[in-house]
Coordinates of all heavy atoms in Angstrom, one line a residue:
T825 N 181.2 -12.4 32.2 CA 181.9 -13.3 31.2 C 180.9 -13.5 30.0 O 179.7 -13.5 30.1 CB 182.2 -14.7 31.8 OG1 182.7 -15.5 30.8 CG2 180.9 -15.3 32.4
N826 N 181.6 -13.6 28.8 CA 180.8 -14.0 27.6 C 180.6 -15.5 27.5 O 179.9 -15.9 26.6 CB 181.6 -13.5 26.4 CG 181.3 -12.1 26.0 OD1 180.2 -11.6 26.2 ND2 182.3 -11.4 25.4
A827 N 181.1 -16.2 28.4 CA 181.0 -17.7 28.4 C 179.5 -18.1 28.6 O 178.8 -17.5 29.4 CB 181.8 -18.4 29.4
H828 N 179.1 -19.1 27.8 CA 177.8 -19.7 27.9 C 177.6 -20.3 29.3 O 178.6 -20.8 29.9 CB 177.7 -20.8 26.9 CG 176.3 -21.4 26.7 ND1 175.9 -22.5 27.5 CD2 175.3 -21.1 25.9 CE1 174.7 -22.8 27.1 NE2 174.3 -22.0 26.2
R829 N 176.4 -20.4 29.8 CA 176.2 -20.9 31.2 C 176.7 -22.3 31.4 O 177.1 -22.7 32.5 CB 174.7 -20.8 31.6 CG 174.3 -19.4 32.1 CD 174.9 -19.2 33.5 NE 174.7 -17.8 34.0 CZ 175.2 -17.3 35.1 NH1 175.9 -18.1 35.9 NH2 174.9 -16.1 35.4
D830 N 176.6 -23.1 30.3 CA 177.1 -24.5 30.4 C 178.6 -24.5 30.7 O 179.1 -25.3 31.5 CB 176.8 -25.3 29.2 CG 175.3 -25.7 29.1 OD1 174.6 -25.6 30.1 OD2 174.9 -26.0 27.9
S831 N 179.3 -23.6 30.1 CA 180.8 -23.5 30.3 C 181.1 -22.9 31.7 O 182.0 -23.4 32.4 CB 181.4 -22.5 29.3 OG 181.5 -23.2 28.0
V832 N 180.3 -21.9 32.1 CA 180.4 -21.4 33.4 C 180.2 -22.5 34.5 O 181.0 -22.6 35.4 CB 179.4 -20.2 33.7 CG1 179.5 -19.8 35.1 CG2 179.7 -19.1 32.7
N833 N 179.2 -23.2 34.3 CA 178.9 -24.3 35.3 C 180.0 -25.3 35.4 O 180.4 -25.8 36.5 CB 177.6 -24.9 35.0 CG 176.4 -24.0 35.2 OD1 176.5 -23.0 36.0 ND2 175.3 -24.2 34.6
L834 N 180.5 -25.7 34.2 CA 181.6 -26.7 34.2 C 182.8 -26.2 35.0 O 183.5 -26.9 35.8 CB 182.0 -27.0 32.8 CG 183.2 -28.0 32.6 CD1 183.0 -29.3 33.3 CD2 183.5 -28.1 31.1
K835 N 183.1 -24.9 34.8 CA 184.3 -24.3 35.4 C 184.1 -24.1 36.9 O 185.1 -24.2 37.7 CB 184.7 -23.0 34.6 CG 185.3 -23.4 33.3 CD 185.4 -22.2 32.3 CE 186.0 -22.7 31.0 NZ 186.0 -21.6 30.0
I836 N 182.9 -23.8 37.3 CA 182.6 -23.7 38.7 C 182.8 -25.1 39.4 O 183.4 -25.2 40.4 CB 181.1 -23.2 38.9 CG1 181.1 -21.7 38.6 CG2 180.7 -23.5 40.3 CD1 179.6 -21.2 38.6
Q837 N 182.3 -26.1 38.7 CA 182.4 -27.5 39.3 C 183.9 -27.8 39.4 O 184.3 -28.5 40.4 CB 181.7 -28.5 38.4 CG 180.2 -28.3 38.4 CD 179.5 -29.1 37.3 OE1 180.1 -30.0 36.6 NE2 178.2 -28.8 37.0
R838 N 184.7 -27.4 38.5 CA 186.1 -27.8 38.5 C 186.9 -27.0 39.4 O 187.9 -27.5 40.0 CB 186.6 -27.6 37.0 CG 188.0 -28.2 36.8 CD 187.9 -29.7 36.7 NE 189.3 -30.3 36.7 CZ 189.6 -31.6 36.6 NH1 188.6 -32.4 36.6 NH2 190.8 -32.0 36.5
T839 N 186.6 -25.7 39.7 CA 187.4 -24.8 40.4 C 186.9 -24.3 41.7 O 187.6 -23.8 42.6 CB 187.8 -23.6 39.5 OG1 186.6 -22.8 39.3 CG2 188.4 -24.0 38.2
G840 N 185.5 -24.3 41.8 CA 184.9 -23.6 43.0 C 185.0 -22.1 42.9 O 184.9 -21.4 43.9
L841 N 185.1 -21.6 41.7 CA 185.3 -20.1 41.5 C 184.2 -19.3 42.1 O 184.4 -18.2 42.6 CB 185.4 -19.8 40.0 CG 185.6 -18.4 39.6 CD1 186.9 -17.8 40.2 CD2 185.7 -18.3 38.1
D842 N 183.0 -19.9 42.1 CA 181.8 -19.1 42.6 C 181.9 -18.8 44.1 O 181.3 -17.9 44.6 CB 180.5 -19.9 42.3 CG 180.5 -21.3 42.9 OD1 181.5 -21.9 43.0 OD2 179.4 -21.7 43.4
Q843 N 182.7 -19.6 44.8 CA 182.9 -19.3 46.2 C 183.8 -18.2 46.5 O 184.0 -17.7 47.7 CB 183.4 -20.6 46.9 CG 182.5 -21.8 46.7 CD 181.1 -21.5 47.3 OE1 180.9 -21.1 48.5 NE2 180.1 -21.7 46.5
L844 N 184.5 -17.7 45.5 CA 185.5 -16.6 45.7 C 185.1 -15.3 45.2 O 185.8 -14.3 45.3 CB 186.8 -17.0 44.9 CG 187.5 -18.3 45.4 CD1 188.6 -18.6 44.5 CD2 188.0 -18.1 46.8
V845 N 183.8 -15.2 44.7 CA 183.3 -13.9 44.2 C 181.9 -13.7 44.7 O 181.3 -14.6 45.3 CB 183.3 -13.8 42.7 CG1 184.7 -13.9 42.1 CG2 182.5 -15.0 42.0
D846 N 181.4 -12.5 44.5 CA 180.0 -12.2 45.0 C 178.9 -12.6 44.0 O 177.8 -12.9 44.4 CB 179.9 -10.7 45.3 CG 180.8 -10.2 46.4 OD1 180.6 -10.7 47.5 OD2 181.8 -9.5 46.1
R847 N 179.3 -12.6 42.7 CA 178.3 -12.9 41.7 C 179.0 -13.3 40.4 O 180.1 -12.8 40.1 CB 177.3 -11.8 41.5 CG 176.1 -12.1 40.6 CD 175.2 -10.8 40.5 NE 174.1 -11.1 39.7 CZ 173.2 -10.2 39.2 NH1 173.4 -9.0 39.6 NH2 172.2 -10.6 38.5
I848 N 178.3 -14.1 39.6 CA 178.8 -14.4 38.3 C 177.7 -14.1 37.3 O 176.6 -14.7 37.4 CB 179.2 -15.9 38.1 CG1 180.4 -16.2 39.1 CG2 179.6 -16.2 36.7 CD1 180.8 -17.7 39.0
I849 N 178.0 -13.3 36.3 CA 177.0 -12.9 35.3 C 177.5 -13.3 33.9 O 178.7 -13.0 33.6 CB 176.8 -11.3 35.3 CG1 176.1 -10.9 36.7 CG2 175.9 -10.9 34.1 CD1 176.0 -9.5 36.9
S850 N 176.7 -14.0 33.2 CA 177.0 -14.3 31.8 C 176.3 -13.4 30.9 O 175.2 -13.0 31.1 CB 176.6 -15.8 31.5 OG 176.6 -16.0 30.1
S851 N 177.0 -13.0 29.8 CA 176.4 -12.1 28.8 C 175.1 -12.7 28.2 O 174.2 -12.0 27.8 CB 177.4 -11.7 27.7 OG 177.8 -12.8 27.0
H852 N 175.0 -14.0 28.3 CA 173.8 -14.7 27.8 C 172.6 -14.4 28.6 O 171.5 -14.5 28.1 CB 174.1 -16.2 27.7 CG 175.2 -16.6 26.7 ND1 174.9 -17.0 25.4 CD2 176.5 -16.6 26.9 CE1 176.1 -17.2 24.8 NE2 177.1 -17.0 25.7
D853 N 172.8 -14.0 29.9 CA 171.7 -13.6 30.8 C 171.0 -12.4 30.2 O 169.8 -12.2 30.4 CB 172.2 -13.3 32.2 CG 172.9 -14.5 32.8 OD1 172.7 -15.6 32.4 OD2 173.7 -14.2 33.8
Y854 N 171.8 -11.5 29.5 CA 171.3 -10.3 29.0 C 171.0 -10.3 27.5 O 170.6 -9.3 26.9 CB 172.2 -9.1 29.3 CG 172.6 -8.9 30.7 CD1 173.8 -8.4 31.1 CD2 171.6 -9.2 31.8 CE1 174.1 -8.1 32.4 CE2 172.0 -8.9 33.1 CZ 173.2 -8.4 33.4 OH 173.5 -8.2 34.7
R855 N 171.4 -11.4 26.9 CA 171.3 -11.6 25.4 C 172.1 -10.5 24.7 O 171.7 -10.1 23.6 CB 169.8 -11.6 25.0 CG 169.0 -12.6 25.6 CD 167.5 -12.6 25.1 NE 166.7 -13.6 25.8 CZ 166.6 -14.9 25.5 NH1 167.3 -15.3 24.5 NH2 165.8 -15.7 26.1
E856 N 173.2 -10.1 25.3 CA 174.1 -9.1 24.6 C 175.5 -9.5 25.0 O 175.8 -9.7 26.2 CB 173.8 -7.7 25.1 CG 172.4 -7.1 24.7 CD 172.4 -6.7 23.2 OE1 173.4 -6.7 22.6 OE2 171.3 -6.4 22.8
P857 N 176.5 -9.5 24.1 CA 177.9 -9.7 24.4 C 178.5 -8.5 25.1 O 178.0 -7.4 24.9 CB 178.5 -10.0 23.1 CG 177.7 -9.2 22.1 CD 176.3 -9.3 22.6
K858 N 179.6 -8.7 25.7 CA 180.2 -7.6 26.4 C 180.8 -6.5 25.4 O 181.0 -5.4 25.8 CB 181.4 -8.1 27.3 CG 180.9 -8.9 28.5 CD 182.1 -9.2 29.4 CE 183.1 -10.1 28.9 NZ 184.2 -10.4 29.8
E859 N 180.9 -6.9 24.2 CA 181.4 -6.0 23.1 C 180.3 -5.0 22.8 O 180.6 -3.9 22.2 CB 181.8 -6.7 21.9 CG 183.0 -7.6 22.0 CD 182.8 -8.9 22.5 OE1 181.8 -9.2 23.2 OE2 183.7 -9.8 22.4
S860 N 179.1 -5.2 23.2 CA 177.9 -4.3 23.0 C 177.7 -3.3 24.1 O 177.9 -3.7 25.3 CB 176.7 -5.2 22.8 OG 175.5 -4.4 22.9
Q861 N 177.4 -2.1 23.7 CA 177.1 -1.1 24.8 C 175.9 -1.5 25.6 O 175.7 -1.2 26.8 CB 176.8 0.2 24.1 CG 178.1 0.8 23.4 CD 179.1 1.3 24.4 OE1 179.0 2.3 25.0 NE2 180.2 0.4 24.6
A862 N 174.9 -2.2 24.9 CA 173.7 -2.7 25.6 C 174.0 -3.6 26.8 O 173.3 -3.6 27.8 CB 172.8 -3.3 24.7
F863 N 175.1 -4.3 26.7 CA 175.5 -5.2 27.9 C 175.7 -4.4 29.1 O 175.2 -4.7 30.2 CB 176.8 -6.0 27.5 CG 177.3 -6.8 28.8 CD1 176.8 -8.0 29.1 CD2 178.3 -6.2 29.6 CE1 177.3 -8.7 30.2 CE2 178.7 -6.9 30.7 CZ 178.2 -8.1 31.0
W864 N 176.5 -3.3 29.0 CA 176.8 -2.5 30.1 C 175.6 -1.8 30.7 O 175.5 -1.5 31.9 CB 178.0 -1.5 29.8 CG 179.1 -2.3 29.2 CD1 179.5 -2.3 27.9 CD2 180.1 -3.1 29.9 NE1 180.6 -3.1 27.7 CE2 181.0 -3.6 29.0 CE3 180.2 -3.4 31.3 CZ2 182.0 -4.5 29.3 CZ3 181.2 -4.3 31.6 CH2 182.1 -4.8 30.7
D865 N 174.7 -1.4 29.8 CA 173.4 -0.8 30.2 C 172.7 -1.8 31.1 O 172.2 -1.5 32.2 CB 172.5 -0.4 29.1 CG 173.1 0.7 28.2 OD1 173.8 1.5 28.8 OD2 172.7 0.8 27.0
H866 N 172.6 -3.0 30.7 CA 171.9 -4.1 31.4 C 172.6 -4.3 32.8 O 172.0 -4.4 33.8 CB 171.9 -5.4 30.7 CG 170.9 -5.5 29.6 ND1 169.5 -5.7 29.9 CD2 171.0 -5.5 28.3 CE1 168.8 -5.7 28.8 NE2 169.7 -5.7 27.7
L867 N 173.9 -4.4 32.7 CA 174.7 -4.7 33.9 C 174.5 -3.5 35.0 O 174.4 -3.8 36.2 CB 176.2 -4.8 33.6 CG 177.1 -5.1 34.7 CD1 176.8 -6.5 35.3 CD2 178.6 -5.1 34.3
Q868 N 174.5 -2.3 34.5 CA 174.4 -1.2 35.4 C 173.0 -1.2 36.1 O 172.9 -0.9 37.3 CB 174.7 0.1 34.7 CG 175.2 1.3 35.6 CD 174.1 1.9 36.4 OE1 172.9 2.0 36.0 NE2 174.4 2.3 37.7
R869 N 172.0 -1.5 35.3 CA 170.7 -1.5 35.9 C 170.6 -2.7 36.9 O 169.9 -2.6 37.9 CB 169.6 -1.7 34.8 CG 169.4 -0.5 34.0 CD 168.1 -0.6 33.1 NE 168.2 -1.7 32.2 CZ 168.6 -1.5 30.9 NH1 169.0 -0.3 30.5 NH2 168.6 -2.6 30.1

């Protein structure tokens, strides 16, 4: 997701979404948006 971690955390608290998936990655973790090719490089590594 491109969502900021504060948004991610709010939505997790509200929905429990993190319990339904294996992992949640924010593009802010990599300092690159998903629109960037560098995001996918980071994600694949």
Side-chain angles (χ1 to χ4, degrees):
T825 177
N826 274 326
H828 188 273
R829 275 289 172 186
D830 287 343
S831 287
V832 173
N833 292 338
L834 175 61
K835 289 167 181 176
I836 286 173
Q837 293 167 13
R838 190 74 186 180
T839 65
L841 180 59
D842 59 323
Q843 301 301 307
L844 297 174
V845 296
D846 297 295
R847 188 178 180 190
I848 299 178
I849 294 170
S850 166
S851 60
H852 297 263
D853 301 342
Y854 302 150
R855 301 182 183 276
E856 294 283 353
K858 292 190 293 181
E859 290 86 342
S860 165
Q861 294 290 281
F863 171 86
W864 306 104
D865 291 335
H866 280 289
L867 181 65
Q868 205 283 325
R869 287 194 297 269

